Amino acid sequence: MTAITPQPGIMDIDLYQGGAAHVAGLDNVVKLSSNENPHGPSEAALEAYRRAAFELHRYPSSDHAPLRKAIAEILGLDADRIICGAGSDEVITFLCQAYAGPGTEVIHTEHGFAMYRISALAAGATPMEVAERERVTDVDAILGACTDATRLVFIANPNNPTGTMIGLGEIARLADGLPPHALLVLDGAYAEYVDGYDGGAALVDGRENVVMTRTFSKLYGLGGLRIGWGYGPAHVIDVLNRVRGPFNISQSGLNAAEAAMRDTAYATFCRTENARWRTWMADALAEIGVPSDVSCANFILARFASQAEAEACDAHLQSQGLIVRRVGGYNLPNCLRITVGDESSCRRIVHAVRQFKNGGADGSGI
Ligand code: PMP
């Protein structure tokens, strides 16, 4: 026994489960378990990253001004109201650290991203799960769940792992209906995959109670570097900067992200390829009896008849060197989340699921 104990809430945290990357006995696997960009980052980002090697003895920029300027210029935002973090995960952590704490509540949706709960607990707050409507964010349910203790409301739009999203009108209704002490966090980790969607930036500009988080980990293919950002009202960005460490992002990460943001042609290429193969894969799977909701992101949530079928299919995919994500931890035990890979990965997925549905590669049953 020890008298040294962590703060309340910490021991309620279940460790975040990342996407698997290996299958025992196979070396040539395709990893479709973490929603990574199958094409990798832009050449310009790689070049900027390599150049940073000559300055490794220097501390990085502390105010991230060049990256904030690039984001602001390309997306038409106010650079002074952008904050950068080590992945959008860190911005989520800042939000909980700054606005939640013992005696307060943090709302997230039924199938919402795991880090909302983890960060809320880490801050000593109480996470409150709110039901969705058929795997879609339910604004009325969220409004109904707000109390005097609500401080933060997290919604991912599009959501992970469902891939669904709600319209800007619904988000505005949510923002307008929240109690005055609650901040709405619009997690736009997958916003770049939606043509013409600003991630909620205009809503942020028009209100004092909305923050948007974004990432370079998905469309920009820089998950390994850990760079995300937030956009919010001046009063919120000021607060978040007070809890942010001065050197929270490496210079190589900052340089690569700036180049990635400015390479809009490559971003368009990745968005277009993703949309094309996402539709192809979803349609092909639906035809063989594996439906999914229309996805707005870079993955699809494939639905099976039962948990047993989903797990058996996952085992078959693994045997074929294809790693996807089980989502039982997200209350979706009969589903598998499959990242949209390149053409060959999508074809291999459909081929393997068809084999599975037909009773195995050799017709012997699985
Ligand atoms: N939000 C959502 C909805 C996500 O799916 C992810 C990554 N899985 C993140 C935030 C965090 O991404 P990162 O920290 O790499 O920016």
Side-chain angles (χ1 to χ4, degrees):
M1 269 298 274
T2 172
I4 301 170
T5 54
Q7 289 293 304
I10 304 289
M11 296 312 289
D12 297 327
I13 296 175
D14 293 324
L15 290 190
Y16 182 85
Q17 302 290 328
H22 306 283
V23 180
L26 295 180
D27 2 283
N28 191 12
V29 297
V30 180
K31 182 173 180 241
L32 301 169
S33 55
S34 297
N35 300 338
E36 293 150 339
N37 183 336
H39 310 289
S42 95
E43 266 306 318
L46 283 175
E47 186 47 35
Y49 177 75
R50 284 190 207 103
R51 270 201 313 274
F54 297 103
E55 297 285 331
L56 288 184
H57 55 301
R58 306 271 181 219
Y59 271 90
S61 154
S62 168
D63 66 7
H64 313 144
L67 175 57
R68 289 189 295 106
K69 183 164 179 278
I71 295 170
E73 280 176 15
I74 299 296
L75 301 181
L77 307 178
D78 175 0
D80 289 340
R81 290 191 286 115
I82 294 173
I83 181 170
C84 302
S88 47
D89 277 351
E90 195 185 32
V91 182
I92 293 168
T93 303
F94 293 157
L95 284 160
C96 288
Q97 195 181 341
Y99 291 101
T104 71
E105 294 172 357
V106 173
I107 288 180
H108 63 85
T109 60
E110 184 182 356
H111 309 300
F113 180 49
M115 286 308 295
Y116 310 147
R117 178 182 163 81
I118 291 176
S119 296
L121 286 169
T126 306
M128 305 293 286
E129 181 181 306
V130 174
E132 298 178 14
R133 213 177 328 102
E134 292 284 309
R135 298 171 301 280
V136 180
T137 298
D138 183 342
V139 166
D140 293 308
I142 294 174
L143 290 174
C146 287
T147 70
D148 287 348
T150 307
R151 291 294 176 275
L152 291 167
V153 174
F154 282 98
I155 68 166
N157 205 45
N159 187 41
N160 169 25
T162 57
T164 61
M165 72 184 291
I166 58 173
L168 284 170
E170 277 293 271
I171 298 173
R173 189 163 75 81
L174 176 57
D176 292 342
L178 289 179
H181 42 76
L183 182 60
L184 173 63
V185 185
L186 280 179
D187 180 335
Y190 302 95
E192 289 82 5
Y193 289 102
V194 185
D195 240 343
Y197 175 54
D198 71 355
L203 283 178
V204 171
D205 282 336
R207 286 173 176 74
E208 290 294 309
N209 68 341
V210 184
V211 182
M212 169 179 78
T213 60
R214 302 284 284 265
T215 185
F216 283 91
S217 302
K218 308 296 176 186
L219 184 87
Y220 298 100
L222 292 173
L225 283 184
R226 314 304 304 127
I227 312 132
W229 53 282
Y231 186 59
H235 70 98
V236 173
I237 298 303
D238 172 52
V239 165
L240 300 186
N241 268 320
R242 289 167 195 267
V243 296
R244 178 177 70 81
F247 305 112
N248 59 326
I249 307 183
S250 71
Q251 194 61 47
S252 44
L254 290 166
N255 291 5
E258 183 186 344
M261 180 50 69
R262 294 193 182 280
D263 192 349
T264 53
Y266 186 70
T268 302
F269 163 78
C270 295
R271 180 184 305 112
T272 309
E273 280 293 291
N274 177 73
R276 175 166 173 219
W277 291 104
R278 180 182 63 202
T279 306
W280 181 86
M281 181 164 73
D283 289 353
L285 291 179
E287 252 174 54
I288 51 180
V290 181
S292 52
D293 299 314
V294 172
S295 169
C296 302
N298 67 338
F299 55 85
I300 64 168
L301 184 69
R303 289 203 306 279
F304 293 83
S306 64
Q307 174 170 358
E309 193 190 32
E311 288 177 0
C313 186
D314 182 38
H316 178 65
L317 292 175
Q318 281 195 35
S319 75
Q320 303 302 301
L322 297 165
I323 308 179
V324 302
R325 184 73 153 259
R326 287 192 188 184
V327 280
Y330 283 94
N331 297 329
L332 294 161
N334 63 330
C335 297
L336 295 176
R337 193 194 68 190
I338 308 172
T339 300
V340 178
D342 58 10
E343 172 176 355
S344 104
S345 310
C346 290
R347 289 191 186 281
R348 281 182 64 181
I349 285 282
V350 170
H351 178 74
V353 174
R354 186 180 291 119
Q355 257 179 359
F356 169 76
K357 282 287 197 178
N358 290 341
D362 52 6
S364 62
I366 296 171

